[in-house]
């Protein structure tokens, strides 16, 4: 019901707090399976100060638009590209949809098909449905990376693009992007890399000495990359990123908005009115932490995941789905459903819907949280 009379701010706030009291919070240390985290306090400050900026009308907020371009170029540079074309968008879903849309519009085939790994995020299902693109699923190898030979076998005259994943949603696996890139070049088909999660992990992990294959614009077949600052970038939701190698991809998805303050402008994003503050927060966080700052965040997360994986292996009745590649550790247990239920009952924010439990070592996850989780897990599995 729409209330007739207003109430005091304090009263409204009180009610809201009580209504959301059963939300899990990141600082409780109970959320172990999410790819989001508590945003960095500096990013929160930026959002507060620049809350009114709308990148949907860049003629009004010319400076913010410039900052968004700089943020895009900083992300491009992290991905080994000097100048990139793209946007800070609402998340990995929008980023993936925009990439598929660009590939489809440029391909101009009657019955467009997209080849993607069986491990791809469900955002591609939305993309396929909305854009009228048939999804052709490629098989996985035993190590859960995509089978490149199967990808090749599925290429047809209708193929508009290939998707590779750098940090799969369930297991954090990085596909063999170098081979996918070679394949894409051989057949003249664009390759999109979904690094929504891995984009803010892999460059730093590689610098720390972890052996992870190349995944970015260094590989010539890679034409677009999804990289989400609202995951490991510690920027508040919504902040996704899509970067294209060339301008033609952005041009292919731009729609004329003829009446805005900036005159005739072209808009490539799905959302019209969109938060400038979050794009500014991406810029500010990158400037504030720098490569070294993010590398430190990733170092902690990677070390924690290796330690956690080793601890899991010591519990009988628990097994790793595969050795972790990034800061995601996924495991199964005997009587998984019962174990999941019991863990949830004890207040753990996890799920086992994929047939295993996924733990993501986000910046808010600390060793003491994991120790408490392991203690519960040991007890529960012993009885299960
Ligand atoms: N690509 C990959 C590889 C992803 O893992 C995700 C999200 C996306 C694209 C889509 O990104 P947006 O959700 O930003 O549009 N993967 C997370 C997942 O499914 C999303 C998520 C985040 C789910 C936090 C739960 C949660 O608490 O696990």
């Amino acid at each position: 019901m729409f209330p007739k009379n207003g109430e005091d701010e304090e009263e409204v706030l009180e009610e809201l707090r009580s209504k959301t009291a059963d939300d899990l919070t990141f600082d409780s240390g109970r959320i172990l399976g999410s790819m989001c985290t508590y945003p960095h306090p500096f990013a929160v400050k930026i959002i507060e100060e620049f809350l009114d900026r709308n990148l949907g009308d860049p003629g009004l907020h010319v400076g913010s638009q410039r900052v968004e371009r700089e943020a895009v170029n900083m992300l491009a540079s992290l991905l080994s590209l000097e100048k990139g074309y793209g946007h800070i968008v609402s998340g990995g879903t929008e980023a993936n949809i925009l990439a598929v849309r660009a590939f489809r519009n440029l391909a101009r085939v009657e019955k467009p098909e997209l080849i993607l790994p069986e491990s791809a995020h469900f955002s591609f299902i939305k993309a396929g449905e909305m854009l009228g693109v048939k999804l052709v699923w490629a098989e996985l190898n035993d190590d859960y990376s995509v089978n490149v030979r199967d990808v090749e076998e599925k290429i047809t005259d209708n193929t508009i693009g290939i998707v590779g994943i750098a940090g799969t949603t369930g297991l954090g696996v990085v596909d063999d992007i170098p081979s996918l890139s070679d394949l894409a070049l051989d057949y003249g088909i664009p390759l999109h890399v979904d690094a929504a999660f891995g984009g803010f992990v892999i460059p730093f992990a590689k610098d720390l000495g972890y052996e992870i294959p190349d995944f970015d614009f260094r590989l010539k077949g890679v034409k677009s990359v999804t990289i989400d600052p609202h995951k490991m970038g510690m920027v508040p939701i919504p902040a996704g990123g899509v970067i294209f190698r060339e301008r033609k991809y952005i041009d292919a998805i731009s729609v004329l908005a003829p009446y805005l303050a900036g005159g005739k402008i072209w808009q490539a994003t799905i959302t019209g009115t969109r938060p400038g503050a979050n794009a500014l927060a991406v810029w500010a966080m990158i400037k504030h932490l720098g490569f070294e700052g993010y590398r430190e965040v990733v170092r902690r997360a990677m070390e924690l995941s290796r330690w956690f994986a080793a601890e899991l292996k010591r519990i009988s009745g628990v097994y790793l789905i595969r050795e972790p590649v990034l800061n995601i550790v996924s495991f199964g247990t005997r009587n998984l459903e019962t174990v999941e239920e019991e863990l949830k009952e004890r207040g753990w924010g996890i799920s086992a819907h994929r047939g295993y439990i996924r733990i993501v070592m986000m910046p808010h996850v600390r060793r003491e949280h994991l120790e408490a989780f392991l203690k519960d897990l040991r007890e529960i599995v012993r009885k299960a």
Side-chain angles (χ1 to χ4, degrees):
M1 196 186 58
F2 200 95
K4 183 164 181 298
N5 298 310
E7 289 171 60
D8 283 348
E9 286 182 9
E10 235 357 90
E11 272 174 82
V12 177
L13 196 58
E14 224 19 74
E15 188 179 346
L16 200 54
R17 284 192 180 129
S18 103
K19 278 188 186 297
T20 57
D22 47 5
D23 287 359
L24 283 182
T25 60
F26 288 102
D27 57 7
S28 68
R30 290 271 152 178
I31 303 182
L32 299 181
S34 172
M35 283 187 176
C36 290
T37 192
Y38 197 81
H40 192 285
F42 183 55
V44 176
K45 218 162 134 180
I46 302 289
I47 301 283
E48 227 180 319
E49 181 165 341
F50 300 96
L51 193 59
D52 60 340
R53 304 314 142 92
N54 169 23
L55 284 171
D57 196 353
L60 294 180
H61 300 140
V62 183
S64 291
Q65 185 188 38
R66 239 181 344 249
V67 175
E68 186 197 19
R69 284 203 194 112
E70 285 185 23
V72 164
N73 272 325
M74 290 196 276
L75 291 177
S77 141
L78 180 67
L79 301 169
S80 314
L81 185 66
E82 205 182 309
K83 180 165 173 45
Y85 302 84
H87 285 291
I88 305 302
V89 292
S90 56
T93 300
E94 185 178 356
N96 286 338
I97 293 171
L98 289 178
V100 179
R101 187 166 156 235
F103 288 3
R104 183 201 64 175
N105 289 359
L106 283 171
R108 297 171 192 276
V109 294
E110 220 166 282
K111 293 185 170 168
E113 295 177 4
L114 179 75
I115 304 175
L116 72 175
E118 276 172 7
S119 51
H121 185 259
F122 58 79
S123 47
F124 288 102
I125 299 177
K126 300 179 187 174
E129 190 199 89
M130 286 193 275
L131 298 167
V133 171
K134 180 179 166 197
L135 303 181
V136 180
W137 299 94
E139 288 166 16
L140 304 185
N141 299 313
D142 290 343
D143 66 359
Y144 299 92
S145 66
V146 72
N147 181 330
V148 178
R149 208 169 309 145
D150 193 47
V151 172
E152 179 165 17
E153 276 170 18
K154 287 183 164 142
I155 295 174
T156 71
D157 290 344
N158 292 324
T159 306
I160 59 155
I162 296 170
V163 174
I165 309 170
T168 59
T169 305
L171 301 171
V173 167
V174 180
D175 285 330
D176 180 359
I177 310 288
S179 298
L180 288 176
S181 168
D182 288 345
L183 195 63
L185 289 173
D186 282 352
Y187 285 84
I189 297 168
L191 173 63
H192 171 67
V193 174
D194 183 354
F197 183 78
F200 264 93
V201 179
I202 301 168
F204 310 104
K206 278 169 88 84
D207 195 65
L208 289 162
Y210 289 93
E211 275 188 34
I212 302 167
D214 284 344
F215 77 107
D216 64 12
F217 288 107
R218 209 171 307 198
L219 307 165
K220 297 287 178 266
V222 175
K223 304 302 183 193
S224 56
V225 176
T226 289
I227 171 170
D228 281 359
H230 72 196
K231 296 187 169 73
M232 284 292 286
M234 290 187 291
V235 174
I237 306 164
V242 63
I243 314 290
F244 292 101
R245 183 186 286 278
E246 292 166 76
R247 202 194 146 114
K248 66 172 184 183
Y249 296 98
I250 282 285
D251 288 345
I253 54 174
S254 290
V255 168
L256 187 63
Y259 61 87
L260 302 177
K264 289 187 177 178
I265 65 148
W266 293 86
Q267 195 174 86
T269 50
I270 294 172
T271 51
T273 302
R274 61 192 180 94
N278 294 64
L280 302 193
V282 173
W283 183 92
M285 278 306 298
I286 295 175
K287 293 280 276 188
H288 176 53
L289 288 186
F291 192 91
E292 304 260 309
Y294 277 115
R295 188 177 56 187
E296 203 41 36
V297 172
V298 169
R299 188 186 58 74
R300 245 194 91 255
M302 291 293 279
E303 284 174 11
L304 206 53
S305 59
R306 296 322 184 253
W307 167 81
F308 183 68
E311 289 294 307
L312 285 175
K313 282 191 214 164
R314 292 171 42 191
I315 306 176
S316 99
V318 171
Y319 57 92
L320 288 186
I321 303 300
R322 61 151 293 161
E323 287 296 325
V325 183
L326 305 181
N327 49 327
I328 295 178
V329 182
S330 295
F331 64 93
T333 69
R334 66 166 167 254
N335 298 330
L336 186 64
E337 273 179 35
T338 324
V339 172
E340 180 196 5
E341 234 165 79
E342 289 254 347
L343 283 166
K344 280 192 172 163
E345 241 161 68
R346 294 193 190 198
W348 293 104
I350 50 107
S351 88
H353 298 172
R354 299 177 182 85
Y356 48 79
I357 294 172
R358 173 189 83 170
I359 304 294
V360 192
M361 311 296 156
M362 294 303 292
H364 66 272
V365 175
R366 292 200 300 269
R367 185 162 158 154
E368 71 229 48
H369 304 143
L370 294 171
E371 270 165 359
F373 176 80
L374 285 165
K375 184 170 168 284
D376 279 357
L377 181 67
R378 270 187 219 105
E379 283 174 21
I380 292 165
V381 172
R382 202 177 308 134
K383 281 184 266 159

